[in-house]
Amino acid sequence: MKQVLLILIFFLGIVFSATSQNTVVGTITDELGDPIPGVSVQEKNTTNGIVSDFDGKYKIKVGENAVLIFSYLGFKTQEISVNSRSTISVVLTTENQQLDEIVVIGYGSVKKDKIATSIATVEGEEISKQVASNPAEALQGKAAGVQVLSSGGSPGASPRIVIRGITTANGSTSPLIVIDGILQPNGTSLNSVNAQDIDSFQILKDAAASAIYGSRASNGVVLITTKRGKSGKSVVSLDVNYGVQYWQKIESADAQEYIRIMNTRRTNDGNSPLFNPDDYPGEGTDWWNEVVQNFAPVLNANVRVSGGSDELKYSGSVSVFDQQANYSKGFYQRITGRFNVDYKISDKVTLKQDLSPRIEKWESTPNLLFNSMRIDPLTPVYIPQSQREGRNEYSIFGLSQNLVPNPVAQLARQFNENDFFGFFSNTQLDYKILPSLTFRSQLGLNISRQTSQNFNPEYFIGPNRQLEINNLTKRVTNNFDYVLNNTITFDKTINDKHYLNVTGGIVFDSENWDYLQGYMDGIPSNTNMNLWQLDAAEGETIRANANKATDNILSGVFRTIYSYDNKYFFNGSVRVDQSSRFPKDGRTGVFSSVSFAWDVDSEDFFKSEVINNLRVKVGAGEVGNQNISRNGQFFSIGSGDFVFGGDRVVANFLSQFGNPNLRWETVRDKNFGVSIGLFNNEITFEAEYYEKTSEDLLFSVETPNYTGIPGTVAQNVGSFQSKGFDFTLGYNKTWNDFTLGANLTLSTNESKAIELAPGNEVILGQRRARLGNRFVKITELGETVGLFQGYQTAGIFQNQTELNSHTSEDGTIIQPNAQIGDLRFVDQNGDGVLNDEDLTTIGNPFPDFYGGLNINMSYKKFDFSMQWYGTVGNDVFNINTEYILAGTQNLNVIAGLENQVWSPTNTGAQYPRLTELDRNGNYQNPSDLFIEDGSYLRLRNIQLGYNFKLKGISKMRLYLAGQNLLTFTKYSGFDPEVSSGGIINGLGVDTSSNPVAKTFLLGLNLTL
């Protein structure tokens, strides 16, 4: 009987076990209905789990009351109770929907709807669509109020970011860069960041958002969040693309046209022709073809591995970027790595460690377009073979007839290389004291070393083109920067009505820099690079210099975020900074902000079937600027050589006047905004007005002559104001298999000087020696900063009557040297004399408005995107006009110039007559002749992709892309997007820098 009972119990156990197990099957798809292979399906609180197959199907045995966890990289994790079901199909939503709800802010992150300040978000997916050495280029046109100004088309060129205009006069308009919570050193280039590693950009535009960063935030803040590992199966992804870059050629006159132009210039002045066409048969030298390579390759590859569990998540990536110049010299190469681990030590303690090494190598890209356009086409590239005896390989080039350096020879003699190693470490420890109270400690290290070497070989081309002794310069620069953040955050919702987030902490930031540079001549070999060492030099000239510096900032931060009933939102912050750049009494700066937002659509009285989101917000705050010379507070002693009685005497003297009363430059900001969502947020609109005013502007003021001290002294004088509007319009809609997303940004800005240094009503910049040694940039009190200055013209003299009638009130001829066909300059003050008193504003380099249009579409397995960017109303000062339209000093000109200059048979021409002497100064005076409309619309990026379905591969996408393929503009130069120097004194000045290239790309995205 006992045996029967045991057998019965055994069988009951089997039956019970069988009935307690449940087989669940289903299909996992994305929002478009496509199956997702490789999704982790795990029974919660067990080790039981599988992954979906190629068709997104899965099958798993679990308990009747089990909970299944579905997780996959890039998608939101879902937990679903089985409840005795045998079929459960799941649609995973993209992680972006979560990202839209979470905003990274200073020293933390909160839900987007809790923020009452002005923050723009750009997702990493949008950034990675554009191939560039610097991910900032892809920001152009994606965030209202953010200008990304190109630094040209040279490999590795780093664009400049300007957020809501200019409020400082000391030259730096770059925002603070913060990567994963760690402040980066001043002047940090985003070349250090691989675009594929970026999860999102958060751009803090107003002071209410950026005041938490105090002294470093006067130009705005760019927060970068990098990608991290997620729980689930390990995922391997590969992103690679290869392309070529192309420059659009501007044709110069060939030999025959050049001869006609030069001879016409002389005969117009009553002189005999310069050249006999029969002596120069053919078209001559096409210097563009000799110097420029039509296609330059660019390669970008990135491998990424990520995954983990609830306790340990990991992510690692390695990328390679290689961009060659459109010359035989010049390149930029970079290898970066980013490795991070998130380790949950316990329920209370989490440790995060990021390591990011990088190696960069570049050869400085020459700028030879200027000389390629000016050198005469009559000069051959090389001298004849019979004349080369006794000359080295750098001395066999032709000597131009107009003294412009031979650009092919310049290219051959350039030897400039740079090696860079950087290492970034971010260690973060989070301790959850209570469920609502978290302590965070972060240590960020930024270490770098750069070595630059420049070799100039010995050569002889002509008496004015030679170097008798070669030389070598080598410079080593070391940086060691560290940031220590200690913050504590209280985050809690009370009684479902009151949300409170309070953060406080202490921050220490230290930047340490030193360099050593040496110079020697007499290197033993011009060709053996192994001997290009300072120790090998045999010359007599030796120079060495070195320096080091440290900047420290100690700060206290405090911020409160409060909301009531998800209707009313309040943000406030205070930061106290102490900077070593200021004297003891002016070292402390206090920066505060406050902002308020109201969700009108949450009110009971607001009823609308069309408007589902309506928010208004207002904010004000202040931030600081410490960007002055480290030595501005100190008096400096210099030395000099003097001769007394035939003897050399070395004397010391006061070389710099220090200012012990320096203090912070402060920017005060006001922001008003409204955002609207229509038709279930299919249409969104945001508008903001801002006004930024800087006070105690840090100026370098020239010392009075009576002091006997040369140079300038740093002072807190002056004020700038920047104001404007930001608009964003978005549209997102899905129809079955077709999805459309469009985003339009539009911004205006006006930056004015409302107060300058005592005794100074103007600031002048960009002195041009060939334009009468006059300044072409001017900042006047009460006017827009950095306007163009010159003479206003009133057409071209068409006959003798017009010449005779251009007089003062007393009949004095204003332009006595003018002839028919010359420019008529306007005598602004009517005194009958044309001089500097008649200089006036002739143009504005800043646009009336600028913006971008971004379009994303998908249909089944196809996807398509376009990015447009443009400006309207900005001017360009085309310096090249004085050369390529005038032919002064026998310089070459653009092709077809004969049809563009005034002549008795072409009286309606825009440009004055050809003349060699130019006694009227047509091209020797800055005037509106040099001003051109710089408005443009550019197709920054276009991409067409197709997604393949292959067994064993989670994702495979092949795409074709083009960058800068179309530019619609009236500007005659290479590129309307130009700058020569700083923003105030350089924006809009064209000196024929290397233009942005057209790029054609083929790429592959692969996920295993």
Side-chain angles (χ1 to χ4, degrees), residues 587-631:
R587 188 161 292 170
T588 302
V590 180
F591 309 99
S592 59
S593 72
V594 62
S595 58
F596 174 78
W598 176 27
D599 279 353
V600 182
D601 60 280
S602 297
E603 298 288 356
D604 294 336
F605 64 79
F606 186 87
K607 304 294 181 183
S608 175
E609 296 182 357
V610 176
I611 302 176
N612 54 279
N613 175 56
L614 176 59
R615 166 177 283 206
V616 294
K617 60 184 178 181
V618 58
E622 55 188 9
V623 287
N625 185 8
Q626 61 155 3
N627 193 26
I628 59 167
S629 168
R630 296 180 176 92
N631 302 319

Side-chain angles (χ1 to χ4, degrees), residues 73 92 103 126 269 315 388 400 424 514 600 613 737 784 907:
L73 182 66
L92 294 184
V103 175
E126 290 297 309
D269 290 341
S315 175
R388 299 184 185 182
S400 68
F424 174 73
D514 73 80
V600 182
N613 175 56
D737 294 330
T784 299
T907 58

Side-chain angles (χ1 to χ4, degrees), residues 29-32 73-78 91-103 110-113 121 123-125 199-200 202 230 680-681 732 734 739:
T29 60
D30 60 19
E31 296 161 289
L32 298 178
L73 182 66
F75 291 84
K76 184 178 179 180
T77 298
Q78 294 189 34
V91 177
L92 294 184
T93 57
T94 60
E95 195 76 29
N96 288 337
Q97 294 181 356
Q98 273 190 311
L99 292 176
D100 288 341
E101 298 173 1
I102 301 297
V103 175
V110 295
K111 286 188 176 182
K112 184 177 181 180
D113 63 357
T121 300
E123 303 298 345
E125 182 181 357
D199 196 47
S200 67
Q202 311 284 351
K230 302 181 186 298
N680 197 27
N681 282 332
N732 291 276
T734 298
T739 299

Side-chain angles (χ1 to χ4, degrees), residues 540-721:
E540 298 179 356
T541 304
I542 302 175
R543 289 196 291 266
N545 56 298
N547 206 339
K548 66 185 301 183
T550 297
D551 291 329
N552 294 325
I553 299 179
L554 177 64
S555 310
V557 299
F558 177 81
R559 179 183 57 228
T560 298
I561 299 174
Y562 171 77
S563 70
Y564 174 71
D565 201 20
N566 282 326
K567 297 179 184 178
Y568 314 106
F569 306 87
F570 169 83
N571 300 171
S573 68
V574 177
R575 176 164 174 143
V576 180
D577 282 327
Q578 286 194 326
S579 170
S580 61
R581 288 205 178 193
F582 295 101
K584 184 177 181 181
D585 293 338
R587 188 161 292 170
T588 302
V590 180
F591 309 99
S592 59
S593 72
V594 62
S595 58
F596 174 78
W598 176 27
D599 279 353
V600 182
D601 60 280
S602 297
E603 298 288 356
D604 294 336
F605 64 79
F606 186 87
K607 304 294 181 183
S608 175
E609 296 182 357
V610 176
I611 302 176
N612 54 279
N613 175 56
L614 176 59
R615 166 177 283 206
V616 294
K617 60 184 178 181
V618 58
E622 55 188 9
V623 287
N625 185 8
Q626 61 155 3
N627 193 26
I628 59 167
S629 168
R630 296 180 176 92
N631 302 319
Q633 57 182 300
F634 302 115
F635 290 83
S636 300
I637 302 298
S639 61
D641 291 344
F642 302 92
V643 178
F644 289 100
D647 296 325
R648 175 177 176 263
V649 177
V650 179
N652 296 325
F653 57 91
L654 190 63
S655 61
Q656 176 179 295
F657 207 99
N659 185 355
N661 298 315
L662 282 177
R663 58 189 182 276
W664 293 96
E665 178 181 303
T666 302
V667 178
R668 290 184 169 84
D669 176 286
K670 293 178 285 188
N671 188 83
F672 308 90
V674 59
S675 58
I676 301 174
L678 306 174
F679 307 109
N680 197 27
N681 282 332
E682 288 180 1
I683 299 176
T684 58
F685 175 74
E686 294 183 25
E688 293 186 14
Y689 171 78
Y690 63 89
E691 188 176 297
K692 300 163 58 179
T693 304
S694 58
E695 299 178 0
D696 296 329
L697 212 63
L698 290 168
F699 260 112
S700 295
V701 181
E702 291 189 8
T703 53
N705 291 332
Y706 61 78
T707 65
I709 302 173
T712 60
V713 58
Q715 294 185 13
N716 290 100
V717 288
S719 176
F720 280 6
Q721 185 181 78

Side-chain angles (χ1 to χ4, degrees), residues 416-431:
N416 178 277
E417 288 197 358
N418 302 267
D419 294 283
F420 180 94
F421 173 77
F423 181 80
F424 174 73
S425 170
N426 178 18
T427 305
Q428 177 179 316
L429 181 69
D430 291 348
Y431 174 54

Side-chain angles (χ1 to χ4, degrees), residues 778 780 783 787-790 792 839-844:
I778 184 171
E780 291 185 284
E783 300 295 335
L787 297 176
F788 295 125
Q789 176 186 243
Q792 181 182 355
L839 296 174
T840 186
T841 299
I842 56 175
N844 185 348

